């Protein structure tokens, strides 16, 4: 007798993302208590996971980030919502909070805390006897800590992570596989370096000596302040002299390049493939979208926004929203882009007018 094939269990409407966030059962009342929010609907509503609106299932808690997402709330299968306005919930139960997206992040962190390796140095790791380790540090096999390095309490080094000579890494940091903090560089507390991030590679400095490109020694360091996150395969180059600085709370995406002697202020966002040339400066809470390029010695003011693929060639004032190459005010760039699409038509019309004008000048009439 042939054994019937085992059927694959169909995923819930929440899909993979919701399934990945499944945990213990919790109620709407617990959510409100954890977040300091106000329940509307049944406080005993039982939930089992977290998911975005379009993928949420009946047992999932979701959130409405802003007014534009409110239409999706009514169509969503979510069991309950985090909202800043009851009207945005589309008739579903939920919790009123000031900032739904931030509240969801906070609740997710509390409900599904990341796993931590056991403290200690695994066999196969190398830690110099001249290094100093704080309490509760976890160093995986394949990681290395050089002489004179200092590692703060509860910091985690995954396989292949490297902390160089006389470098400092603060408390509660995570260095993922193959993240590198090179010699003498300093990393603050609660920083995250994703896989392949390099802090303190040599700055790109050369001078033509008449026969060849001569390397300029890069003697400075990189200093990351507290709560900085560096994405996978991103690089922050050491200064020629002094420091390359990334300010407190700044978040840097994957594949970002920060050149030598740059200063990036607090709470900046740098999206994927941003490139900052040497000695450029980025002001507090500025946002540089994907593939923005910034010339050397250029300053971007506080709160400025550079949209995707902007080429910044001159100083940008505080609060500016710029686009294009070279950079221009975003509204001007939108008008220019619309005009660019019409250039073939306008060119034909101009050529036609030129021919007609030529005939008139020759006395041939229109």
């Amino acid at each position: 007798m042939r054994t019937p094939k085992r059927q694959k269990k169909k995923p819930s409407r929440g899909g993979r993302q919701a399934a990945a966030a499944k945990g213990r059962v919790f109620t709407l009342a617990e959510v409100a208590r954890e977040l300091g929010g106000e329940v509307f609907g049944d406080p005993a509503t039982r939930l089992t996971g977290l998911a975005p609106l379009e993928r949420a299932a009946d047992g999932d808690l979701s959130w409405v980030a802003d007014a534009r997402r409110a239409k999706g709330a009514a169509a969503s299968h979510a069991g309950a919502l985090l909202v800043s306005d009851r009207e945005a919930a589309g008739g579903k139960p939920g919790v009123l909070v000031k900032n739904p997206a931030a509240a969801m992040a906070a609740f997710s962190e509390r409900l599904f805390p990341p796993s931590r390796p056991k403290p200690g140095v695994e066999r196969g790791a190398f830690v110099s006897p001249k290094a100093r380790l704080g309490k509760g540090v976890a160093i995986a096999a394949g990681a290395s800590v050089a002489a004179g390095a200092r590692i703060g309490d509860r910091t985690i080094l995954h396989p292949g992570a490297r902390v160089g000579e006389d470098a400092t890494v603060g408390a509660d940091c995570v260095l993922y596989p193959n993240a590198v903090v090179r010699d003498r560089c300093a990393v603050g507390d609660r920083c995250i370096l994703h896989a392949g991030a390099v802090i303190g590679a040599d700055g790109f400095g050369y001078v033509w000596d008449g026969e060849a490109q001569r390397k300029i020694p890069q003697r400075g360091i990189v200093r990351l302040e507290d709560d900085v996150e560096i994405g996978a395969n991103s690089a922050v180059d050491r200064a020629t002299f002094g420091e390359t600085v990334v300010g407190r709370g700044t978040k840097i995406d994957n594949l970002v390049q920060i050149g030598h002697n740059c200063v990036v202020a607090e709470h900046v966002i740098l999206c994927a493939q941003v490139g900052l040339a040497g000695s450029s400066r980025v002001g507090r809470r500025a946002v540089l979208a994907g593939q923005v390029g910034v010339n050397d010695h250029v300053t971007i003011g506080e709160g400025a926004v550079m949209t995707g693929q902007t080429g910044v060639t001159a100083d940008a004032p505080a609060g500016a929203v710029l686009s294009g190459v070279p950079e221009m005010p975003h509204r001007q760039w939108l008008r220019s882009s619309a005009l660019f699409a019409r250039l073939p038509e306008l060119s034909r019309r101009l050529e036609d007018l030129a021919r007609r004008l030529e005939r008139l000048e020759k006395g041939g009439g229109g």
Side-chain angles (χ1 to χ4, degrees):
M1 183 174 178
R2 185 176 296 174
T3 304
K5 293 181 179 180
R6 182 180 297 176
Q7 294 183 345
K8 293 182 178 179
K9 186 177 180 181
K10 294 182 179 179
S12 68
R13 285 193 295 266
R16 295 180 183 176
Q17 192 167 357
K22 294 296 178 184
R24 65 176 179 82
V25 176
F26 55 96
T27 67
L28 209 53
E30 289 179 79
V31 175
R33 187 164 54 250
E34 287 282 349
L35 299 177
E38 177 187 343
V39 174
F40 57 93
D42 184 2
T45 299
R46 291 163 61 86
L47 302 162
T48 58
L50 310 175
L53 284 173
E54 62 275 9
R55 298 180 65 86
D58 295 342
D60 289 325
L61 175 68
S62 191
W63 71 102
V64 180
D66 51 46
R68 293 177 302 172
R69 303 282 289 164
K71 286 186 178 179
S76 174
H77 296 289
L81 298 171
L82 298 175
V83 295
S84 58
D85 181 349
R86 289 193 188 197
E87 297 299 321
K92 291 181 170 58
V95 176
L96 279 173
V97 291
K98 184 177 180 179
N99 185 330
M104 175 59 79
F107 188 71
S108 176
E109 188 173 20
R110 294 173 193 176
L111 191 65
F112 309 108
S115 60
R116 288 184 57 88
K118 292 181 180 179
V121 178
E122 290 186 1
R123 180 178 296 180
F126 171 78
V127 177
S128 168
K130 295 182 180 180
R132 293 173 57 186
L133 305 184
K135 297 177 181 178
V137 167
I139 301 180
S144 62
V145 182
R150 290 174 292 171
I151 309 295
D153 296 348
R154 300 173 300 280
T155 283
I156 299 168
L157 272 63
H158 287 273
R162 163 77 176 176
V163 179
E165 290 186 9
D166 299 315
T168 301
V169 177
D172 298 303
C173 293
V174 180
L175 276 63
Y176 283 103
N178 300 321
V180 176
V181 179
R182 288 192 52 189
D183 300 355
R184 299 182 291 109
C185 293
V187 175
D189 296 337
R190 299 175 301 280
C191 290
I192 300 172
L193 308 184
H194 287 280
V198 179
I199 308 304
D202 281 1
F204 193 68
Y206 299 87
V207 61
W208 180 253
D209 68 1
E211 296 181 356
Q213 297 288 354
R214 178 177 294 276
K215 184 177 177 67
I216 300 171
Q218 304 293 296
R219 301 303 187 194
I221 65 166
V222 172
R223 177 166 55 85
L224 305 186
E225 296 182 352
D226 296 343
D227 301 300
V228 169
E229 184 163 356
I230 307 288
N233 295 317
S234 289
V236 185
D237 288 350
R238 69 175 58 240
T240 307
F241 301 103
E243 297 180 340
T244 300
V245 179
V246 178
R248 177 173 56 89
T250 284
K251 310 301 181 185
I252 296 174
D253 199 356
N254 303 332
L255 299 170
V256 170
Q257 162 67 23
I258 298 179
H260 56 186
N261 298 93
C262 287
V263 176
V264 180
E266 298 87 358
H267 305 295
V268 169
I269 293 290
L270 302 181
C271 298
Q273 298 184 357
V274 162
L276 304 183
S279 300
S280 56
R281 305 176 74 90
V282 181
R284 187 175 186 273
R285 295 198 65 190
V287 176
L288 277 61
Q291 297 186 333
V292 167
V294 181
N295 274 14
D296 59 288
H297 295 84
V298 163
T299 296
I300 294 175
E302 180 174 349
V305 176
M306 308 292 114
T307 67
Q309 298 188 323
T310 298
V312 187
T313 61
D315 291 353
V321 180
L322 304 180
S323 301
V325 182
E327 74 290 341
M328 65 184 75
H330 182 64
R331 290 183 180 277
Q332 180 182 340
W333 177 80
L334 289 174
R335 291 193 296 269
S336 299
S337 297
L339 184 61
F340 183 81
R342 296 182 57 205
L343 284 180
E345 172 200 346
L346 294 175
S347 176
R348 287 192 297 271
R349 291 177 64 182
L350 185 60
E351 289 172 359
D352 182 56
L353 287 171
R355 286 192 296 268
R356 293 175 64 183
L357 181 60
E358 186 179 0
R359 287 196 296 268
L360 285 172
E361 288 175 344
K362 290 179 179 179

